[in-house]
Amino acid sequence: MAPPISSLIASAPSLVFKVRRREPELICPTKPTPSNLHSLSDIDDQESLRFQIPFIHFYKHNPTMKGKDPVNVIRNALAETLVYYYPFAGRLREGPNRKLSVDCTAEGVLFTEADADVSLEEFGDALQPPFPCLDELLYDVPGSEEILNCPLLLIQVTRLNCGGFIFGLRLNHTMSDGQGLTQFLSALSEMAQGAISPSIKPVWERHILAARDPPQVSCVHHEYDDDVANDSCLLTTPVGITQRSFFFGSSEISTLRKHVTPDVQHSTTFELITACLWRCRTKALQYDPEQIVRMTFIINCRNKYKPTKWLPSGYYGNAFAYPATLSTVADLTENPLSYSVELIKKVKMNFNEEYIRSTVDFFVTRGRPHFTVTRTFLVSDLTRAGLDLIDFGWGKAVYGGVARAGIGTIPLVSFYVPSKNHNGEDGILVPVCLPGPAMDRFVIELDTILNKN
């Protein structure tokens, strides 16, 4: 039997503290960089990625770094790193047919220096979203939030009174995905520790993921089905949305495995967690039995499908698709967990290079649409992205990953991030957003699965 669900949840923290910020500044490359116009790929500029996504890293005090200021170290390293990643210092422009390009103006990245009257220990043993005072630890500088004609990165480094610090970053998602961001942050961390240049040289080449001429939509893309029906989750105002994080360790995964039939007992951890969450979430939202629900998950295409002809090492753009599987509410909630596991397995099995090419062609022929949000649950697995491994010289982050669940004002997205529980056990943390009453029902449903004999 798994631990009681209360031990798996991180509820909204009550910690309150003050953050004193200096005026934000623009950090520019230390050397002249090319001033050209770089087109984004046809995956980058889809409507679904035209938003800002926040990340946060917590670092302990390190006595060996005495006399070094993380603010100055990271600020200086950022200016040097932008010589290589100079498109990040530019601004997005929109051309005909909503095509996005980066104008490499070298205007710079927004950087804010801050101090907080709080220690890392006061955040608790297990750092998990939602984080207290997040809007102060990663302050959205007024006028910087737009997708076009605004800084593509915003960084805030906040010193803590214990000697540790918090690194917050806001990314314009059209520029990079999780692995692309990790590549940039790895370069930044290398420069912070004295490297002359990044070990992996950045590669633009966004034309690799451009539509074919002529476009050939050869696959069915349920992730972009037209569906304008009402969804109680989407109709809830942000004030009514609750966020909690759920931890899945070895005990929880073992329990889930016991719920599935022998033919799918060798399913991956991702498949088991995703199937479980989709089922519990659907029950919690109390949709009508005959309604269609959609499970969408991100599949990255790096290191797959003829790598010598596909994406080169150093590519830091968005390189993924999010195929979907469908089910009626009744089938999903009344069948055993094996049913949803099998649906997810089938999607993964049918995903290939042609699916990605078809997706890109679909964007271009349909005006770069947003994925369907009605009765949709989308997950992104960042457990192998390496965000938690970023080391500016003070050691690896205690927590490194997304700062919250959801994207923008859409609460239907959850990210899987590596984490430790209160006992120091390694596992997967999943922040979830739901309307308050639905969250209460979700906790009950998850508890039923994880603690059923």
Side-chain angles (χ1 to χ4, degrees), residues 41-99:
S41 78
D42 286 322
I43 285 184
D44 292 327
D45 62 8
Q46 61 181 287
E47 183 64 34
S48 306
L49 297 183
R50 298 187 184 203
F51 69 95
Q52 309 279 359
I53 181 169
F55 295 86
I56 195 163
H57 289 66
F58 292 78
Y59 291 93
K60 291 182 178 180
H61 169 63
N62 186 338
T64 67
M65 299 298 285
K66 183 178 180 180
K68 291 188 177 181
D69 179 4
V71 170
N72 291 333
V73 169
I74 294 173
R75 180 197 283 119
N76 294 335
L78 179 59
E80 296 172 357
T81 306
L82 289 174
V83 173
Y84 301 91
Y85 287 84
Y86 63 88
F88 274 127
R91 301 292 182 265
L92 279 190
R93 317 295 188 206
E94 188 175 63
N97 301 316
R98 306 186 68 229
K99 184 64 189 173

Side-chain angles (χ1 to χ4, degrees), residues 427-441:
I428 295 174
L429 191 72
V430 186
V432 175
C433 283
L434 283 170
M439 181 63 80
D440 294 337
R441 294 190 292 268

Side-chain angles (χ1 to χ4, degrees), residues 177-330:
D177 57 15
Q179 287 184 255
L181 176 63
T182 298
Q183 181 182 307
F184 169 77
L185 290 179
S186 295
L188 178 60
S189 66
E190 289 173 346
M191 303 301 274
Q193 296 190 65
I196 299 175
S197 63
S199 58
I200 298 176
K201 298 299 187 291
V203 174
W204 188 258
E205 296 191 21
R206 306 291 171 105
H207 64 277
I208 296 175
L209 291 176
R212 293 173 287 199
D213 186 13
Q216 304 168 42
V217 182
S218 56
C219 302
V220 176
H221 295 282
H222 286 304
E223 60 270 33
Y224 299 101
D225 286 344
D226 294 327
D227 192 341
V228 294
N230 290 339
D231 186 330
S232 58
C233 184
L234 299 176
L235 293 175
T236 304
T237 64
V239 175
I241 293 293
T242 301
Q243 180 180 166
R244 291 184 179 182
S245 289
F246 299 85
F247 180 85
F248 290 84
S250 58
S251 176
E252 290 74 39
I253 300 305
S254 177
T255 300
L256 292 179
R257 210 172 290 282
K258 294 176 183 177
H259 278 274
V260 298
T261 53
D263 56 317
V264 293
Q265 278 192 347
H266 295 293
S267 300
T268 66
T269 297
F270 171 85
E271 291 163 352
L272 291 170
I273 293 177
T274 303
C276 170
L277 293 178
W278 185 26
R279 194 170 186 268
C280 292
R281 184 180 183 276
T282 301
K283 282 190 172 185
L285 287 167
Q286 298 183 331
Y287 295 127
D288 294 335
E290 72 281 1
Q291 288 184 308
I292 299 294
V293 287
R294 181 179 288 99
M295 178 71 241
T296 303
F297 49 93
I298 287 176
I299 299 181
N300 201 290
C301 59
R302 286 179 173 82
N303 303 319
K304 296 180 181 179
Y305 320 121
K306 305 174 185 176
T308 57
K309 298 180 180 179
W310 191 238
L311 297 178
S313 173
Y315 187 90
Y316 62 102
N318 292 285
F320 62 83
Y322 13 55
T325 185
L326 309 178
S327 174
T328 65
V329 172

Side-chain angles (χ1 to χ4, degrees), residues 378-418:
L378 187 154
V379 299
S380 175
D381 184 1
L382 296 176
T383 56
R384 295 181 177 86
L387 287 166
D388 57 317
L389 304 178
I390 301 302
D391 178 1
F392 297 108
W394 279 259
K396 296 176 184 177
V398 181
Y399 173 91
V402 291
R404 63 167 71 97
I407 53 174
T409 60
I410 302 176
L412 53 86
V413 182
S414 285
F415 300 90
Y416 297 0
V417 294

